[in-house]
Amino acid sequence: QNLRNTLHVVPSLDECTENAADIIRWHKATFTDYCNYVRREVRIAKEQGWIRALDGWTLFADAGSRFTQLQNFPMQANAAVILREAIKLLSRHPNIEFVCSLHDAIYIYCHEDDRIAHENILRTCMDQATTTVMASVAMPLPIRIKVTTYSHQTGYISDKGADMFKRIIDLLT
């Protein structure tokens, strides 16, 4: 093993598969209530032909539906419900300039001077949305807000697109 680390040898597919199986066994043994919940929800979805998010968003299912698709639906769909509810709440704040949502993020625009006030409004909307959507579930969900500041001078440049952006700028100048 030490020689492998020194030489940076990639583990075999069989070793990776066994490591993954160990992690899955640990997860199932550690989170038994969650795993039982998932199995129950998937079974019910296949039996009744659908599974539904808290806002009525429905995924139709049958005996051939993938377990993983049905397993992930309650968490992913209800996270999306919370996000949509937060955006509706943000719309009540005319001073908040909503830019877009992407996956599990909400992007807003504000001047640097307004950053803290806008961050507090966003956090309040997310907390309220979570409380509203998850009212029937006794599970607090912490809300994490990450603030990244971009200026007109620096803007936003993805690491993946930095080279292409530079090439375009060079062509334009």
Side-chain angles (χ1 to χ4, degrees):
Q1 186 70 19
N2 288 339
L3 179 60
R4 169 176 283 167
N5 290 340
T6 303
L7 298 175
H8 302 290
V9 176
V10 176
S12 71
L13 180 59
D14 288 339
E15 290 172 301
C16 291
T17 302
E18 185 55 37
N19 287 342
D22 287 344
I23 292 169
I24 291 170
R25 279 191 290 276
W26 169 83
H27 183 270
K28 288 179 179 178
T30 304
F31 302 104
T32 54
D33 289 346
Y34 172 74
C35 291
N36 290 335
Y37 160 79
V38 166
R39 281 191 293 276
R40 184 179 65 250
E41 289 298 306
V42 168
R43 179 183 50 75
I44 291 169
K46 288 183 176 190
E47 288 172 0
Q48 68 187 11
W50 51 268
I51 189 168
R52 186 168 287 149
L54 295 172
D55 70 345
W57 186 272
T58 303
L59 175 67
F60 294 100
D62 60 25
S65 296
R66 290 189 335 268
F67 182 89
T68 52
Q69 181 181 23
L70 297 173
Q71 167 189 348
N72 294 334
F73 184 83
M75 297 300 175
Q76 291 175 341
N78 289 311
V81 173
I82 292 169
L83 192 71
R84 288 191 296 272
E85 184 66 24
I87 291 167
K88 289 190 290 187
L89 293 169
L90 275 174
S91 72
R92 297 178 185 165
H93 296 271
N95 58 328
I96 298 290
E97 189 173 334
F98 172 74
V99 175
C100 68
S101 64
L102 180 63
H103 303 296
D104 61 351
I106 295 175
Y107 294 87
I108 62 174
Y109 169 83
C110 72
H111 293 281
E112 180 63 27
D113 296 345
D114 297 326
R115 183 184 64 81
I116 293 173
H118 282 61
E119 181 179 336
N120 288 335
I121 291 169
L122 178 59
R123 183 179 313 281
T124 299
C125 289
M126 286 299 298
D127 285 339
Q128 188 176 349
T130 301
T131 300
T132 300
V133 172
M134 302 302 288
S136 63
V137 180
M139 178 190 338
L141 295 175
I143 303 300
R144 183 179 62 92
I145 293 180
K146 177 184 172 191
V147 175
T148 306
T149 303
Y150 306 107
S151 70
H152 289 289
Q153 290 75 31
T154 60
Y156 169 76
I157 300 174
S158 165
D159 291 340
K160 292 188 238 177
D163 289 339
M164 178 58 74
F165 181 77
K166 183 182 180 331
R167 286 173 45 196
I168 292 170
I169 293 299
D170 289 345
L171 286 170
L172 294 174
T173 54

